[in-house]
Amino acid sequence: MHQDMETAFGRLIKENKDRIFRICLFYAKDEEDQKDLFQEISLNIWRSLPKFRYESKIETWIYRIALNVCLQYKLSAKRSHVDWVKIESVNVADNVENIQDKLENSELLRRLNYCISKLNEADRSITLLFLEDLSYREIAGISGLSENHVAVKITRIKKRLTDCFST
Amino acid sequence: MDENELKLLWSLSSTTQSVTIDEGQLLQSISKQVAMMERKVRKRDFREISVAVVMMFFFSWVLLRIPAVIGKVGATIIVLNCMVVIYKLLRARVKITTDNTQNALTYLDSSLKGIQKQIKLLNTVLWWYILPFGIGVLCVYCSSGHSPQNKVIYSLAVVMICSFTYYLNRRAVTRNLRPLEEQLKKLIKDLTI
């Protein structure tokens, strides 16, 4: 049973590492914090894995845990830091093949991040889910809002992001 | 920039960096972390509950030994209060976990309720912890055969310790819990408007 869970967990992390890491990039600024946050999300996925009932897509379930962990991280960031056992299980390196893309897109990405940083914490979370290309229904399931409410919020956010980009 | 361009740009944020995970090491790290956290919680619970249990036994013994009525009243107050403290600590331990597989709104709401319970607990600490212990200890000491001068010094020391404990609890509420409560309330409000 434990072995099955370890295998399932390993596969889950392998398949979703980029997704989880993008969320970490969104919420933590420096690399050490991003790694810690990655481990914190992984820890919470591991602990919640026995509770997963296949009622939603596994990706939606991961987003739900990741978002809750990140919101908690933002709330507690000023007070205390998670004291992680230091094992270099997560490594981040610049992708050499994409250096050219990186140079071309870094300015736009910086601009996007700047515009997102102007939003409040709740809108930032919705923006993250929207940019991750989730449907309104999935965002509603993760955030706890109704689909209509999500649609209204996203329309408002898109307008603010477009205005920010055009200035 | 339209919606699709924004999403495309966002997806590029992770392709410029590659993440490599050693699943074995990650599992090892997680297991160590879980063990460390459990050990920490167990130690804290053991420390707090064992102090209350030791005090309960000690003042039960005092209750049987002390001849003066006022001393017996004081010892009874402390013994009963130790029971209340143990009960409160055990109850707080059961309710401390918040399920993070819930949606964000429910999760934030239950986190807020948890914080508000902690605030309530610390706000009432004077009535369920400090005053009963302070009064109990004073009653036991004052019924003993010490000189009046000693009794005054001892009473002042007890009052000072109780005041300091009360101050520490108030500070924890105003410095840590209230700001967190405000942040959570704001987050919930921002999410729902």
Side-chain angles (χ1 to χ4, degrees):
Chain A
M1 178 66 188
H2 196 263
Q3 189 63 42
D4 287 350
M5 214 174 104
E6 282 186 7
T7 314
F9 174 75
R11 201 176 55 236
L12 206 82
I13 294 294
K14 206 171 190 172
E15 286 168 2
N16 293 283
K17 64 178 168 51
D18 286 334
R19 187 172 283 130
I20 298 172
F21 193 69
R22 270 200 304 272
I23 301 171
C24 299
L25 280 175
F26 190 79
Y27 280 97
K29 291 299 157 220
D30 65 76
E31 202 180 305
E32 278 310 304
D33 284 352
Q34 288 158 6
K35 284 182 183 179
D36 280 354
L37 198 51
F38 190 99
Q39 292 195 348
E40 184 73 20
I41 294 170
S42 306
L43 169 75
N44 279 276
I45 290 173
W46 169 255
R47 294 174 109 181
S48 304
L49 203 53
K51 285 190 258 173
F52 182 61
R53 294 283 171 266
Y54 299 93
E55 285 158 1
S56 59
K57 273 163 63 181
I58 191 87
E59 291 82 6
T60 314
W61 184 77
I62 288 174
Y63 277 119
R64 206 182 284 177
I65 294 176
L67 189 65
N68 288 337
V69 171
C70 290
L71 288 174
Q72 200 62 50
Y73 166 83
K74 288 299 267 185
L75 288 171
S76 59
K78 287 174 200 159
R79 296 182 305 132
S80 62
H81 232 58
V82 181
D83 201 8
W84 266 95
V85 178
K86 289 291 170 202
I87 293 179
E88 288 301 312
S89 53
V90 184
N91 286 301
V92 185
D94 279 338
N95 210 340
V96 182
E97 291 168 21
N98 290 313
I99 285 290
Q100 191 55 39
D101 289 346
K102 186 180 177 179
L103 290 174
E104 285 168 11
N105 291 312
S106 61
E107 188 49 46
L108 283 173
L109 265 173
R110 236 196 318 272
R111 186 87 194 143
L112 177 62
N113 281 324
Y114 168 77
C115 293
I116 292 171
S117 72
K118 295 282 158 198
L119 302 171
N120 65 43
E121 202 57 58
D123 284 351
R124 277 162 53 82
S125 308
I126 301 290
T127 308
L128 167 73
L129 300 173
F130 159 72
L131 290 174
E132 284 288 312
D133 208 17
L134 297 180
S135 68
Y136 287 180
R137 174 178 285 215
E138 285 170 319
I139 297 175
I142 294 165
S143 63
L145 303 175
S146 68
E147 272 184 69
N148 281 343
H149 200 158
V150 168
V152 171
K153 264 187 158 321
I154 288 179
T155 308
R156 223 185 293 159
I157 290 167
K158 273 195 289 195
K159 189 180 178 313
R160 287 185 67 183
L161 286 180
T162 312
D163 287 352
C164 176
F165 256 93
S166 56
T167 53
Chain B
M1 199 167 235
D2 72 13
E3 185 176 318
N4 292 328
E5 284 172 318
L6 280 175
K7 286 180 182 174
L8 182 68
L9 183 61
W10 175 251
S11 67
L12 291 173
S13 65
S14 69
T15 57
T16 53
Q17 286 181 310
S18 63
V19 192
T20 49
I21 312 287
D22 184 330
E23 292 100 35
Q25 274 200 341
L26 183 64
L27 256 176
Q28 192 191 340
S29 152
I30 284 172
S31 302
K32 280 195 176 180
Q33 197 67 29
V34 170
M36 200 171 80
M37 282 159 70
E38 283 173 355
R39 218 170 27 241
K40 217 169 163 181
V41 171
R42 256 202 317 270
K43 262 189 188 170
R44 190 203 58 201
D45 287 348
F46 177 76
R47 213 171 35 235
E48 289 173 341
I49 291 172
S50 57
V51 166
V53 169
V54 167
M55 276 183 74
M56 200 171 78
F57 279 109
F58 176 72
F59 282 97
S60 299
W61 176 78
V62 170
L63 177 64
L64 295 173
R65 297 285 301 235
I66 206 162
V69 176
I70 190 142
K72 281 190 184 292
V73 170
T76 309
I77 291 173
I78 294 173
V79 170
L80 290 177
N81 206 50
C82 284
M83 287 179 188
V84 172
V85 169
I86 293 169
Y87 169 73
K88 276 189 184 275
L89 288 175
L90 290 174
R91 208 175 63 153
R93 188 172 56 170
V94 172
K95 290 184 176 175
I96 209 152
T97 47
T98 313
D99 181 9
N100 58 19
T101 61
Q102 303 171 108
N103 64 55
L105 197 57
T106 315
Y107 178 77
L108 292 172
D109 205 45
S110 45
S111 298
L112 178 63
K113 280 184 183 139
I115 294 294
Q116 285 171 336
K117 264 187 194 155
Q118 280 188 49
I119 291 175
K120 197 177 166 193
L121 197 71
L122 293 188
N123 274 343
T124 55
V125 77
L126 182 69
W127 307 108
W128 64 269
Y129 187 83
I130 298 172
L131 268 187
F133 275 126
I135 291 171
V137 167
L138 282 180
C139 287
V140 171
Y141 194 81
C142 289
S143 68
S144 64
H146 292 92
S147 69
Q149 196 187 2
N150 274 357
K151 284 179 183 171
V152 170
I153 293 170
Y154 185 82
S155 302
L156 283 176
V158 170
V159 169
M160 275 171 71
I161 291 169
C162 288
S163 307
F164 186 63
T165 312
Y166 182 66
Y167 161 75
L168 287 181
N169 279 282
R170 298 296 308 162
R171 200 176 65 161
V173 171
T174 49
R175 276 202 185 172
N176 303 326
L177 297 176
R178 285 281 181 221
L180 194 57
E181 185 194 22
E182 289 311 311
Q183 276 180 293
L184 274 165
K185 277 183 179 169
K186 186 180 180 306
L187 201 51
I188 292 170
K189 191 180 158 213
D190 288 343
L191 195 62
T192 48
I193 53 167

